[in-house]
Amino acid sequence: MVQIKKVNQGLIVSKALLSKSGIRPRKRLGQNFLEDPAIIEKIITHARFDKNDVVVEIGSGLGALTIPIISNIYHLVAIEKDPLLITILKERLSLKEKEKITFISGDVLKLDFKEIYDKFKQKLQIVGNLPYNISSPFLEKLIINRNYIKNAILMFQYEFAQRLTATPKRKEYGALSVISQYYAQISPLLKIKRDAFYPKPKVDSMVLEIDFKKPHPFQAKNEVTFRKTVKAAFSYRRKTILNSLERGMVSASREMIAKALTKCLIDPKRRAETLTIDEYIHLSSVLMPDKTIP
Ligand code: SAM
């Protein structure tokens, strides 16, 4: 059972902490700090931490999540791009807390997840209130490193989270939805209003669980081809699936694509946003069974 005993110590008043150090939040780094203790508590409860967990926190900031998390887990690796925030956070920690945290000052997009996995010899749990401008590349990095990751509890901009969880025929359904849901089960956990942050961002947020232990039940024969088929299909989403694939997949002729669609019982007049993940898996396997599309 998770204990949330440290949440109150995690309560921060970001504005006061920053001005004490003579600094302002940096917009370029997406510095919107979580302030609402009730929300922090809900995130920690949803994460269902175990005392043996090794957690990697993305953008530890002033410690709104860091401090309440550490008493519930074995070790936390905090990666933060702004070194000034690491200094402020370290001053807020007791000696015992510091022993349980490894700080990395740098860019999470350059982080070597395998190195952390090798050091602790266990799959990692990822947590973070992400700077919004790195959502897409970070997600791609998570997918590439999925063998070292158990699951991720991440806060995204609301619209981005809608795209990640979208199902066929929704306007938010796109290549990002299909590819992410192929590699992991994605569940919405909490919608968070902009008032929960300092400074207040222009948009609301959503916390999602990305569970790499539960990928889509069927696998593509060739995942490179699968991803290319999905991206080509959605790159012309107003066209029919036949026309968009003809334009997007340079090495497959119109005739080949039409034949593959017929074989998969997919009407060539349908549009990309109506195809399910299973249909994309099937289509990519028929279209290019054993070679990668350039
Ligand atoms: N976790 C804190 C919270 O919830 O209050 C801070 C969240 S704030 C939205 C995002 C944090 O990520 C900031 O502290 C920012 O400096 C840091 N950050 C921005 N870009 C980063 C990157 N590429 N790698 C690591 N940290 C980054």
Side-chain angles (χ1 to χ4, degrees):
M1 183 65 190
V2 172
Q3 292 179 348
I4 314 171
K5 57 190 175 205
K6 295 298 294 263
V7 164
N8 287 336
Q9 281 102 314
L11 172 63
I12 52 170
V13 183
S14 319
K15 197 174 180 178
L17 278 172
L18 293 172
S19 58
K20 199 172 128 200
S21 304
I23 57 174
R24 287 162 176 266
R26 296 167 76 183
K27 215 174 173 179
R28 190 175 57 80
L29 291 179
Q31 291 181 351
N32 300 99
F33 302 102
L34 201 47
E35 285 277 317
D36 185 333
I39 300 281
I40 294 170
E41 184 158 339
K42 278 188 189 159
I43 295 174
I44 308 264
T45 306
H46 276 294
R48 300 186 306 276
F49 292 115
D50 181 275
K51 63 179 181 355
N52 299 314
D53 279 342
V54 174
V55 174
V56 178
E57 188 191 357
I58 318 305
S60 44
L62 297 164
L65 294 170
T66 326
I67 296 174
I69 289 173
I70 39 180
S71 58
N72 292 298
I73 61 165
Y74 174 67
H75 197 84
L76 187 137
V77 177
I79 169 127
E80 171 55 62
K81 199 168 178 180
D82 187 340
L84 287 172
L85 298 188
I86 296 185
T87 307
I88 299 175
L89 177 51
K90 279 185 176 168
E91 280 168 10
R92 303 186 66 212
L93 300 170
S94 69
L95 206 59
K96 210 170 145 210
E97 288 170 330
K98 274 189 207 154
E99 280 169 5
K100 288 181 81 175
I101 306 182
T102 305
F103 281 99
I104 301 177
S105 177
D107 184 348
V108 69
L109 298 178
K110 296 186 183 141
L111 184 68
D112 188 343
F113 283 102
K114 183 176 182 304
E115 200 179 316
I116 305 172
Y117 168 86
D118 286 343
K119 181 173 173 196
F120 291 97
K121 298 184 178 49
Q122 62 169 284
K123 286 202 178 188
L124 311 167
Q125 185 155 12
I126 314 295
V127 168
N129 167 11
L130 281 192
Y132 297 134
N133 58 348
I134 64 163
S135 299
S136 278
F138 179 65
L139 192 73
E140 217 161 285
K141 189 175 171 94
L142 277 190
I143 291 174
I144 293 168
N145 286 279
R146 64 192 178 281
N147 291 342
Y148 315 119
I149 296 167
K150 204 160 71 170
N151 71 339
I153 305 283
L154 293 172
M155 192 186 305
F156 293 100
Q157 206 165 353
Y158 187 69
E159 285 68 22
F160 189 86
Q162 294 285 91
R163 287 168 58 204
L164 279 180
T165 51
T167 47
K169 296 186 187 159
R170 302 286 306 247
K171 70 174 187 318
E172 299 88 357
Y173 185 66
L176 184 76
S177 334
V178 178
I179 293 172
S180 312
Q181 291 170 32
Y182 173 80
Y183 288 109
Q185 187 180 81
I186 306 185
S187 321
L189 299 181
L190 289 172
K191 182 172 179 184
I192 303 183
K193 291 273 181 207
R194 59 199 84 178
D195 307 327
F197 303 89
Y198 169 80
K200 191 157 100 173
K202 289 198 176 75
V203 290
D204 295 332
S205 298
M206 171 79 104
V207 179
L208 298 180
E209 175 171 18
I210 302 175
D211 191 344
F212 289 104
K213 301 185 300 311
K214 295 178 188 157
H216 189 75
F218 305 110
Q219 266 193 299
K221 273 191 191 156
N222 179 330
E223 291 185 348
V224 177
T225 308
F226 166 71
R227 290 197 301 269
K228 290 198 174 188
T229 306
V230 175
K231 284 184 184 165
F234 282 100
S235 52
Y236 301 93
R237 58 186 299 150
R238 298 175 76 90
K239 293 189 180 298
T240 63
I241 187 75
L242 175 61
N243 287 341
S244 59
L245 288 179
E246 185 192 4
R247 283 185 172 224
M249 296 177 82
V250 283
S251 61
S253 67
R254 185 175 178 86
E255 198 190 348
M256 269 172 74
I257 297 165
K259 264 191 191 162
L261 288 166
T262 307
K263 194 164 176 192
C264 296
L265 306 176
I266 298 170
D267 181 346
K269 291 201 186 77
R270 283 171 63 187
R271 285 170 208 274
E273 74 244 30
T274 69
L275 270 66
T276 62
I277 299 181
D278 285 336
E279 285 178 315
Y280 278 114
I281 292 173
H282 192 191
L283 182 60
S284 70
S285 306
V286 171
L287 207 46
M288 290 276 158
D290 47 28
K291 68 174 179 181
T292 298
I293 302 161

